[in-house]
Amino acid sequence: MSSRMPVPDAEATDLVEALRDDLVVADYTVEHVAELLGQGASAALHREQPLPARRALAGSDDPVATMVRFFTLGETHTLDALDAAFPSLRAKGLERLGLAVPADSGLRSAVDLRPYGDENSSWWLASDLSELATGSVLATDHVLGIGGASTTLARWTPRREVASALDLGTGCGVQAVHLAGHVQHIVATDLATRALDFVRFNAALNRLPLEVLAGSMLEPVAGRRFDLVVSNPPFVITPRAEGMPGYEYRDGGAVGDAVIRDLVRSVGDHLEPGGIAQFLGNWEMSEGHGFEQVWTEWLEGTGLDAWVVQREVQDPFEYAELWARDGGAGVNSPEYGAMYAAWLDDFAARGVESIGFGIVTLQRPETERDPLVDLMDERGPVASAMGPTIDAGLRARSWLAQTSDDDLLDGTWQAAPDVTEERHTKPGADDPSVIMIRQGGGLGLAIQADTVLAAFLSVCDGSMSARTALVAIASLVGVPDDEVIAGTLPLLRRLIANGMLERVQG
Ligand SMILES: C[S@@+](CC[C@H](N)C(=O)[O-])C[C@H]1O[C@@H](n2cnc3c(N)ncnc32)[C@H](O)[C@@H]1O
């Protein structure tokens, strides 16, 4: 579908600077918007319910109220009202920049422009107007704003200071703006030309130097390597059936989950030694071909370390409902029914029984060694910022890959401060029937411990080596040392990999 709305003009540099001035002076920030809306209306807006926000902002003469009503809620404003809210850019500047179009009594917004931030920085991001603002089904060339998947990826990205990074399928540039805080040179790519116009505009508005390249998946960066590749790619499994809308923002055009499989198999060529690729994805699972089988096949021969965390599993019905609804087709519309059926037929044709979703972290090992693969099915609550967990977990896994069992046993260890033990004892019994070791932060892991592991953690205060502790426990429980050590080592490696056991530097 051709573009039906203008895209913002990044080349009109003076006007972009005037807009920036207006946004700064008005204090168009996440915090200020939240304050004006209040908690309930903010949450309702998040659920795509604009009414409470309209009521909260009605009558306010704060320029930020006008900005939210104009850019997010899609309300038409008079030229005078816009001149007052944008004193540097003025209403005519909004139109000239491609941010507004004439409407009955003034102008209405052509784009969504909203503040966005993390603990360290704040930005503004322009994207296409949402269904909430337009009241209509999304166009197939819709450029997505900040969505749940965008923030999930941003929260899981390890933020090491590095020289180069690639944001593949940048859209309006959500990941790219985060990268600007810790990466010297950022390349942002997309297949969609409208997305590239938005990302150029957002880079100019936020004064961020981005190298913007057009093309499919890794083609625009042929022959180039990066320290970090991040991607919220078009991973949605889409039937290649007549009448299915081909949304550019979610559909990579392949059959089944091939977009993600191909990315796994090709991204290693674009990573520096020690370089990391992190992306979201879906994978199809069938009888005898579950999470572990799919990923073992995909990773074979790549030479990459892999840490895949499966966060969600849906059946074909749930998947079809989610994505048939996503473009804005009402659940009672004929389009919705046709799409639902097409998804079910498509999954049935390949015998797909369930679809996994998760976060994939791949690493090119710094030195020649066997790759380390960790496939975790962890669907429970996790810390809100997972980047530090991934960063520390990759370092721990790299260390483990190069460390012999003997060296590990000679080290001294202690439980991390967020580790607690939970004992479940049947009424009247002396000994617990279940002991759980719980992680307070990060992935929030819960690991069932046997008596040996529980005893090990209780004596593990950094005063003796792991070997000394295990040998002492072996004699207490009357089991040969070798047996206790061999039985406990995999658990120790698991605890170390996930930051639940910390090395005490001696
Ligand atoms: C789910 S959106 C992600 C946008 C943004 N990076 C984020 O995190 O929210 C996927 C993006 O991939 C782009 N895309 C679709 N097919 C592509 C392809 N073959 N190669 C590169 N990008 C593609 C879409 O235009 C869209 O901007």
Side-chain angles (χ1 to χ4, degrees):
M1 182 189 280
S2 63
S3 1
R4 71 287 171 226
M5 289 294 266
V7 284
D9 180 0
E11 303 300 318
T13 43
D14 290 350
L15 294 178
V16 175
E17 281 297 311
L19 170 64
R20 186 186 163 87
D21 285 348
D22 289 334
L23 301 178
V24 170
V25 170
D27 189 29
Y28 191 39
T29 56
V30 172
E31 295 76 23
H32 192 165
V33 170
E35 196 183 306
L36 283 180
L37 290 177
Q39 214 175 2
S42 288
L45 200 51
H46 219 73
R47 299 191 299 270
E48 308 208 337
Q49 295 297 323
L51 187 98
R54 290 192 206 288
R55 288 163 65 109
L57 301 177
S60 169
D61 57 3
D62 188 320
V64 167
T66 310
M67 290 172 180
V68 174
R69 292 171 60 191
F70 186 67
F71 285 128
T72 305
L73 302 178
E75 291 180 11
T76 298
H77 283 266
T78 63
L79 301 187
D80 286 348
L82 292 171
D83 283 347
F86 298 90
S88 297
L89 182 64
R90 322 272 301 172
K92 66 175 182 309
L94 281 167
E95 205 178 344
R96 163 65 190 82
L97 268 181
L99 302 178
V101 289
D104 299 343
S105 51
L107 294 180
R108 73 181 165 86
S109 181
V111 304
D112 184 308
L113 176 68
R114 63 180 69 194
Y116 175 59
D118 62 14
E119 333 45 74
N120 306 312
S121 311
S122 74
W123 312 280
W124 302 279
L125 288 174
S127 61
D128 268 326
L129 287 166
S130 65
E131 299 147 67
L132 179 150
T134 60
S136 51
V137 175
L138 298 182
T140 52
D141 61 357
H142 179 83
V143 176
L144 215 57
I146 307 143
S150 333
T151 51
T152 297
L153 178 63
R155 288 193 296 106
W156 283 68
T157 302
R159 305 231 171 258
R160 297 180 189 171
E161 299 277 334
V162 290
S164 61
L166 167 67
D167 174 14
L168 192 165
T170 189
C172 72
V174 189
Q175 309 306 327
V177 297
H178 281 282
L179 293 173
H182 62 108
V183 179
Q184 282 167 28
H185 186 81
I186 302 157
V187 178
T189 65
D190 208 289
L191 182 63
T193 48
R194 296 188 78 245
L196 295 174
D197 287 334
F198 274 103
V199 80
R200 283 192 194 95
F201 176 81
N202 288 329
L205 181 60
N206 292 288
R207 297 187 183 150
L208 300 176
L210 297 184
E211 183 185 343
V212 177
L213 299 176
S216 186
M217 300 307 281
L218 291 156
E219 278 168 20
V221 291
R224 293 177 69 175
R225 288 176 187 264
F226 300 88
D227 298 308
L228 177 64
V229 175
V230 294
S231 186
N232 171 11
F235 61 78
V236 178
I237 298 164
T238 308
R240 314 266 53 108
E242 191 75 16
M244 288 294 296
Y247 286 115
E248 288 173 354
Y249 66 83
R250 65 180 207 198
D251 175 11
V255 171
D257 52 19
V259 168
I260 298 303
R261 181 202 58 206
D262 293 349
L263 185 57
V264 171
R265 300 196 72 80
S266 53
V267 74
D269 293 341
H270 299 272
L271 293 177
E272 296 284 5
I276 297 164
Q278 195 180 50
F279 47 89
L280 306 179
N282 272 143
W283 39 92
E284 296 183 336
M285 298 181 283
S286 50
E287 172 82 42
H289 204 70
F291 176 47
E292 304 225 340
Q293 284 89 346
V294 169
W295 276 95
T296 306
E297 270 175 30
W298 284 5
L299 290 164
E300 203 182 330
T302 62
L304 299 174
D305 291 335
W307 182 7
V308 184
V309 185
Q310 179 164 267
R311 297 286 296 144
E312 212 178 307
V313 175
Q314 291 178 302
D315 66 28
F317 307 98
E318 292 168 311
Y319 197 87
E321 287 157 24
L322 172 69
W323 293 110
R325 234 183 4 240
D326 167 73
V331 290
N332 295 319
S333 66
E335 295 81 14
Y336 177 86
M339 286 191 275
Y340 199 148
W343 253 293
L344 296 185
D345 288 345
D346 187 49
F347 285 133
R350 289 186 298 282
V352 175
E353 291 180 348
S354 60
I355 303 98
F357 164 82
I359 293 115
V360 180
T361 308
L362 305 177
Q363 175 179 250
R364 169 168 289 284
E366 212 141 358
T367 53
E368 245 342 81
R369 60 165 170 77
D370 286 342
L372 203 137
V373 174
D374 199 346
L375 306 175
M376 299 175 100
D377 192 6
E378 291 296 336
R379 307 187 209 165
V382 297
S384 64
M386 285 298 292
T389 302
I390 295 292
D391 193 354
L394 282 175
R395 289 184 203 279
R397 283 165 175 75
S398 301
W399 183 85
L400 285 166
Q402 300 171 85
T403 301
S404 68
D405 288 343
D406 276 338
D407 286 344
L408 191 158
L409 290 166
D410 287 338
T412 50
W413 301 90
Q414 66 186 11
D418 67 337
V419 168
T420 52
E421 186 193 88
E422 203 175 274
R423 286 175 178 247
H424 300 263
T425 309
K426 292 224 163 86
D430 289 335
D431 295 323
S433 45
V434 178
I435 305 174
M436 297 301 296
I437 307 299
R438 290 199 182 273
Q439 179 178 42
L443 282 161
L445 299 179
I447 295 174
Q448 187 163 352
D450 58 11
T451 335
V452 171
L453 184 64
F456 177 80
L457 289 172
S458 70
V459 297
C460 187
D461 59 359
S463 63
M464 65 183 114
S465 72
R467 190 192 307 278
T468 309
L470 289 173
V471 167
I473 294 164
S475 86
L476 270 178
V477 294
V479 177
D481 301 355
D482 289 358
E483 232 174 82
V484 164
I485 288 176
T488 314
L489 262 167
L491 282 170
L492 295 191
R493 284 189 172 267
R494 191 168 162 209
L495 292 173
I496 294 166
N498 291 296
M500 296 172 75
L501 205 51
E502 294 176 343
R503 199 181 163 93
V504 179
Q505 302 301 334

